Amino acid sequence: MGLRRKVNEDSIFERTERGLWAVADGMGGHEAGDVASAKVVEALRSLPIVYGLDELVEAAIDALYVVNRELIELARSGDHSRTIGTTVVGLAIADGHFRCFWAGDSRAYRIRSGQIRRLSRDHSLVQDLVDAGMLKAEDAEKHESANVITRAVGVSEDLQMDSSTGDADSGDIFLLASDGLTRLVDDYEILEELTSAPMDKAADKLVELVLARGAPDNVSIVLTQVH
């Protein structure tokens, strides 16, 4: 949801029984971002039954490569050149471990023992500037190029997905979110809400924070807790 966008270009995917979740954010400013994010969810929903964390993530990433090719072909099929793209961040959990995979600036977090850890690294121009020591992290969201991403599904024939892995303990909370949340709500505020209320109420409060701050973009959140 958002206050200024007529079309919701975000899509979410939840298959708790399979241990797989994702958020896709159609690229604002481009045409058919909602089509792009919907294709990501459709591809993940159609994954074959596989067993094991490695196999599940491999199947998901392979499906995203197929979507990447389909979006590029779709973009070229019109009367004029255009880009149909989407960011994506996915999470798989099995046998006490997690694996995140992503392209773009939608994010994954783990909340454990009163601490929040970002599991993904933004594929964005400002993140590259921060990493190079040319921009302070606290200034990144206010930078004039804060909306410029360097990777997304549907943008380049050579799609590169990043991934991270680690342990998933009982009680851990995992959050996936489009940048409609993280542009307006910082990591500390996310932690505060998720450690002070049940997950469903915390999710509502995070969305309320975004709406209260103007919600210039769509916001999508997926929360899951390890039991």
Side-chain angles (χ1 to χ4, degrees):
M1 62 182 65
L3 295 179
R4 302 183 191 173
R5 291 287 180 88
K6 293 182 179 180
V7 177
N8 186 352
E9 295 180 330
D10 292 359
S11 296
I12 63 174
F13 174 82
E14 295 181 82
R15 284 294 183 274
T16 302
E17 72 280 3
R18 295 196 64 182
L20 186 64
W21 303 262
V23 167
D25 180 1
M27 294 172 59
H30 292 289
E31 298 177 76
D34 53 325
V35 172
S37 64
K39 274 187 168 292
V40 165
V41 169
E42 180 183 348
L44 295 177
R45 188 177 291 123
S46 302
L47 288 178
I49 299 296
V50 294
Y51 300 95
L53 189 62
D54 292 340
E55 291 78 9
L56 179 57
V57 173
E58 182 178 350
I61 291 178
D62 285 347
L64 293 175
Y65 288 145
V66 173
V67 172
N68 188 66
R69 292 193 295 270
E70 290 177 346
L71 290 176
I72 290 174
E73 291 172 2
L74 180 61
R76 291 172 176 169
S77 66
D79 295 332
H80 59 279
S81 178
R82 57 177 178 166
T83 299
I84 302 176
T86 179
T87 71
V88 63
V89 59
L91 169 72
I93 298 176
D95 302 323
H97 292 86
F98 76 83
R99 183 161 298 162
C100 289
F101 52 95
W102 72 94
D105 59 356
S106 292
R107 293 180 183 174
Y109 293 88
R110 183 184 67 190
I111 293 85
R112 172 190 289 175
S113 302
Q115 295 184 325
I116 187 168
R117 175 189 169 197
R118 194 181 304 179
L119 305 176
S120 57
R121 173 195 173 276
D122 291 353
H123 295 138
S124 66
L125 177 58
V126 292
Q127 184 62 57
D128 289 345
L129 293 174
V130 170
D131 292 347
M134 300 171 65
L135 182 68
K136 293 181 180 179
E138 56 268 27
D139 296 330
E141 299 302 340
K142 301 182 183 70
H143 193 275
E144 60 184 6
S145 299
N147 63 338
V148 178
I149 59 175
T150 55
R151 293 190 208 176
V153 181
V155 172
S156 170
E157 292 184 3
D158 182 27
L159 172 64
Q160 296 182 18
M161 302 287 300
D162 271 347
S163 66
S164 66
T165 190
D167 55 323
D169 295 343
S170 179
D172 285 353
I173 296 173
F174 289 86
L175 165 70
L176 305 180
S178 62
D179 70 336
L181 173 72
T182 55
R183 289 270 185 89
L184 298 178
V185 183
D186 64 32
D187 292 5
Y188 175 77
E189 291 176 304
I190 292 172
L191 174 64
E192 186 175 31
E193 296 302 333
L194 289 175
T195 53
S196 62
M199 281 203 308
D200 56 344
K201 292 184 179 180
D204 290 342
K205 185 59 184 296
L206 288 173
V207 172
E208 288 171 7
L209 281 174
V210 172
L211 294 175
R213 293 172 184 178
D217 198 358
N218 303 131
V219 55
S220 291
I221 299 170
V222 170
L223 282 165
T224 189
Q225 186 169 26
V226 180
H227 297 289

